[in-house]
Amino acid sequence: APGSEVAIIVGCGHAAGELATRLREQGWAGRVIMIGEEPHLPYQRPPLSKGFLEGKTGLSDLFLKPQATYDLAQIEVILNTRVEAIDRTNRTVTLSDGSSLQYTKLAIATGGRQRPLPGADTARAEACDNFHYLRTLDDALKIRELLKAGKRMVVVGGGYVGLEVAATAIKHGLQVTVVEAGPRLLGRVTSPAMSAFFEQVHCQAGVDIRTGTLVEGLEFDGLRVVAVRSHAGERIPADVVVVGVGLLPNTGLAEAAGLAVDNGILVDAFCVTSDPDILALGDCCNHPNPVVGRNIRLESVPNAVEQARSAASTMCGQGEPYRMVPWFWSDQYDLKLKSVGLCEGHERIVMRGTMEGRAFSLFYLKGKRILAIDTINRPQDFVMGKRLVGERIEVDDDALIDESTPLNKFFTASL
Ligand code: FAD
């Protein structure tokens, strides 16, 4: 009977939390058990490098839902506990407290962990209290303690998380240096034009940006990192070091259970892995994206939420496929970046608005179609842009550039 079925969710992050409540909304009658190794209920990570780090967002605002919501929905939450192994033959999972649980359907939402800073000094640095990665609430609490005016912070990695930390730290009066190995900031996620814009903004704010600079080693004084050394022999003194050099998907559990893994746990359009009773969702999974036309692994909240919707529907026997235009946001200073689509493979870029006015959109085009849009402080362009990219609507460059032509003109033209 459906009431005796057991849904087990591995992980207690954004995707897991969404899935648990949606299972109830979609009519899952049996037990729902969510198991996470962190000591917290599911919370939002984006504020950890923005409002929460700055002290504007309170702790209670981070949580997706209060405990009472899970209680009311009869969702059993087990915290401080790792799922150590999956036995697919007997349909059980083994937990770090030695117990095991039987599942009817299993959903893996294990997210990812920070890529360690490469190099021989990393293990020693990780034992220092002024060297941190930023993935968890506990990481953010530790970094927040170190945001003291006048201190020198070195941020290793010029991706979104690193730049958001830099923006927050400089606002707090720290001296901030960003060290990026690649030739430009945000090299993996946006175009050279947008990278140059962000570099200029950070420089104007007083951040010392060093691109093309590989960290070769660290200097210590007892249990403190005191400097970062570059491959070119530069020595950058540091009171605090924050490292954001990418994410490694947590796929070990799935791999050990013999599930197909390739840069993430492989799933189909319904979030189902190579085992029909096991699903995967969020940062840990690699999925076919119908808009982009190939498999991708996304690290974003909108993706986690959309996959939770699809996974809940699959587990409840309805099977709503995942269909999302990839999108993402980042807040730095007064800038609200919202990106939609993936810009790789674009032939040209057209701009609407101006960089000087700090309100513009870059449209990445191939033929007559928009592959992606980066919008800065232009929420309307983002709303329209999601449809233009998702519905693969044909556009013309002149109308995109001309601000007197509303973007919804293209929808009517395509009818
Ligand atoms: P997670 O939220 O990482 O949750 C996975 C959970 O599973 C973790 O709690 C982990 O401890 C647990 N777990 C792993 N293995 C096991 C196991 N074996 N047993 C039990 N538990 C396990 N996205 C945006 O869209 N916009 C942003 O502006 C943005 N900013 C970000 C800023 C920061 C600082 C960070 C860290 C991330 C940001 N992201 C942002 C990304 C976003 O937070 C992630 O995409 C999202 O959290 C993914 O959710 P998830 O559930 O897949 O993974």
Side-chain angles (χ1 to χ4, degrees), residues 10-16 35-38 43 45-46 48-50 81-84 109-112 114 134-135 161 164 250 253 281-284 298-302 304 327-330:
V10 187
C12 212
H14 212 125
I35 306 155
E37 67 179 325
E38 286 188 67
Y43 59 87
R45 292 180 203 276
L48 300 183
S49 50
K50 312 177 182 75
T81 307
R82 265 183 76 77
V83 173
E84 301 284 7
T110 46
Q114 288 300 329
L134 177 48
R135 179 71 188 171
V161 171
E164 288 173 354
N250 286 330
L253 198 59
L281 62 156
D283 285 12
C284 70
L298 288 174
E299 295 164 12
S300 81
V301 163
W327 72 271
F328 185 83
W329 79 91
S330 176

Side-chain angles (χ1 to χ4, degrees), residues 192-341:
M194 197 52 118
S195 297
F197 173 73
F198 273 104
E199 179 160 347
Q200 197 196 6
V201 166
H202 280 277
C203 288
Q204 277 169 359
V207 179
D208 179 359
I209 302 275
R210 312 228 185 142
T211 51
T213 305
L214 198 65
V215 172
E216 197 179 68
L218 303 166
E219 282 178 26
F220 299 88
D221 178 7
L223 272 179
R224 293 185 65 76
V225 178
V226 292
V228 172
R229 269 187 291 105
S230 81
H231 70 300
E234 292 163 294
R235 179 182 185 277
I236 310 168
D239 300 305
V240 187
V241 178
V242 177
V243 180
V245 293
L247 192 81
L248 298 172
N250 286 330
T251 55
L253 198 59
E255 251 167 291
L259 298 174
V261 170
D262 178 10
N263 177 32
I265 305 165
L266 287 172
V267 296
D268 65 13
F270 301 92
C271 295
V272 178
T273 66
S274 51
D275 180 324
D277 293 322
I278 304 181
L279 292 84
L281 62 156
D283 285 12
C284 70
C285 86
N286 185 334
H287 62 275
N289 189 296
V291 182
V292 179
R294 63 178 174 81
N295 260 58
I296 51 176
R297 191 175 65 75
L298 288 174
E299 295 164 12
S300 81
V301 163
N303 173 65
V305 171
E306 172 64 12
Q307 286 190 324
R309 189 193 60 77
S310 173
S313 139
T314 304
M315 289 166 79
C316 293
Q318 289 131 22
E320 271 282 314
Y322 170 95
R323 194 187 187 290
M324 191 191 83
V325 194
W327 72 271
F328 185 83
W329 79 91
S330 176
D331 300 336
Q332 297 167 42
Y333 311 104
D334 58 326
L335 305 176
K336 292 219 171 291
L337 166 84
K338 283 189 165 188
S339 290
V340 52

